[in-house]
Amino acid sequence: TDYCNARIIMDKGRYRDAAEILARLTVSKDTPASWLYTLAEAHAGEGNWYAAASVFTRLMDAGHPDPQLLLQRSRMLIKAGDRDAAKRDLVKYISIDPDNTGALGLIGKTYAEEGAIYEALPYLNSNVEKHPGEPSAFRLRGDAWMAARSWEMAVEDYTMSLDLDPE
């Protein structure tokens, strides 16, 4: 009943209240994984990125078999400002799933936002090569070229992204 109440409260946008309820419900080691995912969602909803990341860590430490946990935790760590930890998670995730467009794009974007364009480009290039029909792969690489003030390269990638998805 309390779990359902927390879900209802989350639907109303009261993430902090839901997180408090869920935190009390999830202290046990035999907590259902779905409840922990909901707790992470509540923490993310309230903007408590480190708390959300720690829930994903807890799921990994418990041996929950979901490689997406690394990707989800890295997203939370980036939002929390811990880019180094996020990049470590992303490198580990890419070693498991080297073709994942979301992971390749996210690590490339993270490097590019730091101004480390030459570290970003191998990931972004790989993403474009592995996913030539994915408009976001070209857009992210275009963003990196733009940050590097390589206008012509940025225009090429933005044009390709628009060709693939005019919307």
Side-chain angles (χ1 to χ4, degrees), residues 3 19 21-29 31-32 35-36 39 58:
Y3 174 76
I21 293 168
L22 291 164
R24 288 191 303 268
L25 294 175
T26 59
V27 294
S28 149
K29 288 191 185 265
T31 298
W35 289 20
L36 291 170
L39 176 59
R58 184 174 165 196

Side-chain angles (χ1 to χ4, degrees), residues 45-93:
E46 69 174 323
N48 192 345
W49 314 118
Y50 272 121
S54 72
V55 174
F56 293 128
T57 300
R58 184 174 165 196
L59 282 160
M60 287 186 274
D61 290 347
H64 188 67
D66 182 2
Q68 290 289 318
L69 289 169
L70 280 167
L71 193 53
Q72 292 170 313
R73 182 172 71 179
S74 67
R75 286 188 178 115
M76 295 300 107
L77 290 169
I78 288 168
K79 289 180 179 184
D82 193 349
R83 292 176 177 276
D84 290 335
K87 288 185 288 190
R88 284 191 299 273
D89 277 356
L90 288 166
V91 167
K92 187 173 183 179
Y93 183 85

Side-chain angles (χ1 to χ4, degrees), residues 1-2 12 15 34 48 69 84-85 94 104 121 127 149 157:
T1 303
D2 287 337
K12 293 179 180 179
Y15 295 103
S34 61
N48 192 345
L69 289 169
D84 290 335
I94 291 169
L104 290 167
L121 285 173
N127 200 18
R149 299 184 180 270
D157 279 342

Side-chain angles (χ1 to χ4, degrees), residues 86-87 90-91 94 102-112 120 123-124:
K87 288 185 288 190
L90 288 166
V91 167
I94 291 169
L104 290 167
L106 187 56
I107 194 167
K109 178 182 177 186
T110 303
Y111 275 115
Y123 293 107
L124 297 172

